[in-house]
Every structure is written in structure tokens, then in C-alpha cells.
Amino acid sequence: MRWSLLSLALVGVAALAYVMYTPAPEGITEPWKYSAFCGMLKTCQIIAKVLAYFDDGNYWKHYRHVRHWLRPATPSEIPGSNIRSRVTTFDGIKVRLYEPIKKQQGLSPALVFIHGGGFVIGSTETYDSVTRKIAEGLDMVVASIDYRLAPEFKIPTQHEDNLKAISWFMQNAEQFGIDSNHIGVAGDSAGGLMTAYISQVIHDDESLPDIKFQGLIYPFTQGLDFYTPSYQKYAKFLGEKGVLPRSTVIHMVSSAIKNDGDLSNASMLNMHTSAEFKTRVRKLVNHDDIPVEMKDEAYYMPPADVGDGDAQVWEKYRSIFLNRAVSPLLRDNMTGLPPAYIVTCGFDNLRDDGILYAKKLERAGVETILVNYDGGFHGMLWEGRFFEFQLAKEALQKFIILYMQNILYYVPKNKLKVKNEIIDFQYTMVKIFICFIETLNKNYIHLELLFSKVLLNSYIIIKKKNQNNSQFLVSLIL
């Protein structure tokens, strides 16, 4: 009897290990840690499904609860840190605000962060480790928005909450010691989508100053094509396992729009648009913009070989998928939008969404930096305190550096006392040193961060009037 129970237990453990185990594809960063990370997510999913089955059937609500139980502590202050956090509201929208304890004199720049989670999960608490690191790295005010989630609140509620909070923050910036003309917005995944969308909306709103900088971290930017090269690569190497398989992307999007089985089934086959509209999709989501080396013939099929369409589903949801709230990539005129830093990952279904958006910004003349971490995966920044990946750490540091370098182009009104030429020379010299460090070795990123902070904390920092001279000097040193 004892041996029978032991055998049964071993079989149960083996079966559980089989269900939980996600093989790490060759080339992914820190494979064993990645597999453990996926195992943790799978555990949360199983628990949430069981709870939802015995309760109201709302899987995402219970998944949020499970993740909430596992969240690390979110203290207001951490010993040795110059950042203090508190929960407040911006025009009725809950916000976790990170502020320097020792503040600089005068008005400073700031960052608004919009967390990801496919519109259905995530919170300022579960993202605290990420946003706190950003605030500490920048040593400036960071506001993390706790917007309402689907399926309880459908799209565009999430966009409206974020836009409302950011607009209020801009209009009341001075009471926080912030220059309203130097506020940037960043977000990951669905937060990246909303960052792109809000940057567009605020750019078009003449009553508000423009967003200074937009940071899109593995963003979702279009819902027309779920069969881009990155979706096909993911299916080849990870199938329906890993952090964000195709079925999870579609489940999240469908939950945020409407829980409709027909929509989900058609989207899984990439047939949620009509056959007639497919020709236009191929122009709007142009696979030719994806580098050839990212379209391996071992798995890639061009759009001409991909399915038909479902006219009935498309008729029902056409207006939603063509709305910039779901597909910011579809904006016709990108000219004049804020400078962008876009991060993509090699093992991510959404990799091409970020690349396509970057290409469109570049064609419109928008200053854009696109960084693809070939060994990275979707969500690698998320669990910074439980699973800290070195690649994610590098990506976050790079974001902090680029944000400081871009947000520097401003003149605090109360400090405009010296000639522009002096400050241009000061700015150029530090930038030259940063560029030189970058050419040496990526391991010198801490020096780049240090000198970016030197530049940020200069007595006066102003926008360069003659960028051509700066670029010429940089070219000489390199």
C-alpha cells in the first residue's frame, strides 16, 4: 500500500513537472531562469483557473488576485534610496508617485509610466520594483498610473484613465516641482500601446504641451495581423508555451473588447478581418519592413499564403481594430510626434509590432531609437525582484540613460543666466565622452549612466541650437 501511494505521488509529481516545464529555446537569455519564470506563471494560471471555475468564471480577476498574493513588498522608502513613494490620485485616477527625498531647486523633468498586462492584469504594486528602479536611476519624479482593467472595464476605459491622469499632471505639474514642458511617457506591452496612443492624442491637443519623450517597451501596436514573422517564429520555437503565446495575446485582446468566441477563434487563424480587407492589411502591416534576417525560411510564410477572412467577424469589430486605441500603428501622419525609444525582444510575438512602429516613425522624420534584444522575451522586466535577468537589467539601464539624454533639452526659466554657447560646449563634451564609452564596450554602461547624470545635474542645461556642430564633433572623436 505504501509503495502504491509512493508510486502514485511520483507519477503525480512527474505529471505536474511535465505540465509546468517550458523548454527554453536555443539563444534565449538565461534559459534555466527563463524556464523557472514560465513555471511560476503557469502555476498562477492553474490556480486562477481553479478559482474561476468554482467562483464567477472571471479568470483574469482571479489571476490578478494570485499575482497580488505573490507580489513583493512595496514600502514607501528603502534604506539608502533617495526615492519615497506614496499613493495619490490625479483627477480621480489612482497613481503611485515616486519622488526624490532630496529635491533639486527649480522645476525638473518627470516621467509617467503605464504598466502592461494586456489591459487585463498588472498594477502599480506588481510593477513597483520596475518603476522604483526607474525613479532611482533617473532621480526624478515618476508617476505610475493604476488604471481600470478589463474584462470589468472594456477598451477604451484604460486609455481614458491614463489620458485623464496625464493631462491633469501636465496642467498641475508645478505643484510637484515639475516643468510641464518636460514630461515623458513610457510603458511596456499594452502600456507601450497606450504610450504611443496618448503621445498621438496629446500631440494633437493644442491645449497641452507635447510629450517630451515616448518609451515603448515591447509594445502591442496593431491588431490586424497575428501572423507577422515574430508570431511565426514564436510558434516555431515555443508553440503555445512560454510567457506570451498567440492564444494569450488573443485572449487578452478579446477580453478587453468583448468575450466573443467567434472573435477569438477567427483571430487564432488570423481570419478576423475580411478576405477583401486582407490586401489592405498587407500594406498597413508590411512584412517588408521587417529585416530579412528576422524572416527565417524555416518558419516564415509571407502574407499571401496565410488564410482567408471572416466577413461577419470583421463587420462586427472593424471599427475597434481600426481605432488607434487598439492599433496606433494605423495613424496616417506621424510627423512631429515625440522622440521615441522602442525596445523589442527576439522571443516575443510582439517583436514586429515595435519594429513596424519604429519604421513608420523614422519615415516621418521622428527621432527614433530601436533596440532589439535578440535573446530577450516578453515581460523580462516585469518580475524584477523575483527573477532579475541580466539582459533586462541592461535594457532598463539603457532606457534610463536615453531618457536622461533626451529629457535634457530644456531650459529651466529660473536658471537662464549664461550664454547658450557655453552650455552647448558643456553638453557636447559630455555627449562626446558618452559616445566614446559606447564604442569601447557595453560593460562600460555604468560610466555612460554616470556621465548622463552629470549632464542632468549641470547648473544649466539647455536645448542645443546647433545640432550639426555637435554631430560633427562626435564624428571626429569616433
Side-chain angles (χ1 to χ4, degrees):
M1 181 65 177
R2 184 174 61 182
W3 289 108
S4 297
L5 290 174
L6 180 60
S7 298
L8 186 62
L10 289 173
V11 170
V13 170
L16 181 63
Y18 176 78
V19 171
M20 303 299 294
Y21 177 64
T22 297
E26 184 179 353
I28 203 164
T29 186
E30 300 179 76
W32 283 104
K33 191 181 291 185
Y34 171 80
S35 293
F37 179 67
C38 292
M40 184 207 71
L41 295 179
K42 190 70 174 177
T43 302
C44 294
Q45 293 163 6
I46 292 172
I47 295 172
K49 286 178 181 178
V50 172
L51 292 175
Y53 178 81
F54 288 104
D55 190 18
D56 57 1
N58 188 339
Y59 166 74
W60 292 118
K61 181 186 77 174
H62 290 286
Y63 186 81
R64 292 196 297 263
H65 289 166
V66 174
R67 294 298 299 271
H68 187 76
W69 297 336
L70 296 175
R71 80 190 191 287
T74 54
S76 174
E77 295 182 34
I78 293 177
S81 172
N82 187 43
I83 297 298
R84 176 190 294 123
S85 70
R86 61 188 173 97
V87 176
T88 184
T89 59
F90 288 176
D91 200 11
I93 307 300
K94 184 180 174 183
V95 170
R96 184 173 290 270
L97 192 65
Y98 301 84
E99 299 171 290
I101 298 171
K102 297 178 181 178
K103 298 181 180 180
Q104 297 182 14
Q105 296 296 317
L107 299 179
S108 301
L111 172 71
V112 176
F113 188 85
I114 305 175
H115 70 76
F119 308 108
V120 294
I121 59 175
S123 68
T124 58
E125 290 183 327
T126 56
Y127 269 78
D128 178 69
S129 62
V130 175
T131 46
R132 182 174 289 277
K133 285 175 184 175
I134 293 173
E136 289 173 347
L138 294 174
D139 197 30
M140 65 176 65
V141 171
V142 173
S144 180
I145 304 175
D146 221 348
Y147 56 90
R148 289 173 291 177
L149 300 172
E152 294 87 345
F153 300 94
K154 304 297 185 184
I155 288 175
T157 301
Q158 297 77 22
H159 305 67
E160 292 169 351
D161 284 358
N162 283 291
L163 182 58
K164 185 179 181 181
I166 293 171
S167 298
W168 185 90
F169 186 43
M170 287 183 142
Q171 292 163 354
N172 297 272
E174 287 197 19
Q175 75 180 65
F176 299 95
I178 302 302
D179 184 344
S180 62
N181 292 300
H182 297 90
I183 295 175
V185 180
D188 71 315
S189 193
L193 180 155
M194 287 183 279
T195 295
Y197 171 78
I198 288 169
S199 296
Q200 294 178 12
V201 172
I202 290 181
H203 176 73
D204 296 337
D205 187 345
E206 295 182 358
S207 69
L208 292 171
D210 215 346
I211 294 294
K212 190 66 178 175
F213 178 85
Q214 53 177 323
L216 282 59
I217 302 171
Y218 33 75
F220 180 103
T221 65
Q222 58 83 30
L224 297 179
D225 187 356
F226 295 122
Y227 221 75
T228 61
S230 55
Y231 276 98
Q232 295 183 50
K233 176 186 176 181
Y234 193 101
K236 169 70 174 179
F237 293 105
L238 283 162
E240 281 302 309
K241 293 191 173 185
V243 176
L244 192 71
R246 188 202 316 262
S247 60
T248 300
V249 175
I250 291 168
H251 188 194
M252 287 176 161
V253 173
S254 299
S255 297
I257 296 173
K258 185 178 181 180
N259 291 317
D260 185 341
D262 291 340
L263 173 61
S264 297
N265 293 335
S267 298
M268 280 297 293
L269 298 171
N270 207 39
M271 292 173 59
H272 57 296
T273 62
S274 66
E276 292 75 17
F277 195 77
K278 284 286 186 183
T279 302
R280 190 177 172 198
V281 171
R282 291 163 195 157
K283 295 178 181 178
L284 295 172
V285 187
N286 191 347
H287 291 199
D288 290 341
D289 281 342
I290 308 302
V292 175
E293 62 271 20
M294 292 183 174
K295 295 181 288 191
D296 194 316
E297 62 181 14
Y299 57 80
Y300 175 63
M301 289 193 302
D305 299 327
V306 180
D308 295 318
D310 189 320
Q312 290 183 336
V313 168
W314 182 236
E315 182 64 26
K316 191 185 298 185
Y317 297 105
R318 175 190 179 105
S319 62
I320 295 176
F321 281 108
L322 293 181
N323 192 311
R324 284 183 296 151
V326 173
S327 301
L329 177 67
L330 303 187
R331 179 184 173 98
D332 291 328
N333 185 10
M334 300 280 191
T335 304
L337 289 178
Y341 174 52
I342 300 176
V343 172
T344 59
C345 293
F347 293 94
D348 181 10
N349 275 317
L350 304 186
R351 180 200 67 189
D352 295 348
D353 281 33
I355 294 173
L356 291 167
Y357 199 77
K359 295 290 185 181
K360 196 163 186 178
L361 288 174
E362 288 173 351
R363 281 196 291 268
V366 177
E367 184 180 348
T368 305
I369 297 175
L370 171 66
V371 178
N372 179 63
Y373 292 93
D374 202 45
F377 60 90
H378 194 90
M380 65 181 185
L381 296 180
W382 197 354
E383 295 295 333
R385 201 168 294 183
F386 289 140
F387 293 92
E388 186 172 45
F389 291 86
Q390 184 59 36
L391 199 61
K393 186 177 180 180
E394 291 177 14
L396 199 61
Q397 283 188 316
K398 189 68 176 176
F399 166 77
I400 290 168
I401 290 167
L402 287 171
Y403 189 76
M404 283 193 288
Q405 291 175 5
N406 278 273
I407 210 70
L408 293 179
Y409 304 150
Y410 82 109
V411 187
K413 293 179 181 178
N414 61 334
K415 293 185 178 181
L416 188 56
K417 298 179 181 177
V418 300
K419 293 183 178 180
N420 292 359
E421 290 79 3
I422 297 174
I423 307 306
D424 281 342
F425 178 77
Q426 188 180 41
Y427 176 88
T428 302
M429 289 300 100
V430 177
K431 283 286 285 184
I432 288 174
F433 187 84
I434 289 171
C435 291
F436 178 67
I437 289 297
E438 284 182 326
T439 64
L440 294 179
N441 192 303
K442 68 179 182 180
N443 292 329
Y444 285 87
I445 193 168
H446 61 284
L447 287 179
E448 189 179 354
L449 179 60
L450 171 64
F451 276 84
S452 294
K453 286 188 175 181
V454 168
L455 187 55
L456 181 65
N457 294 317
S458 295
Y459 178 68
I460 296 179
I461 305 165
I462 69 170
K463 184 174 182 178
K464 304 195 306 295
K465 295 291 185 181
N466 190 344
Q467 293 189 6
N468 291 333
N469 288 344
S470 298
Q471 290 170 358
F472 174 69
L473 288 171
V474 171
S475 66
L476 286 178
I477 200 71
L478 297 180

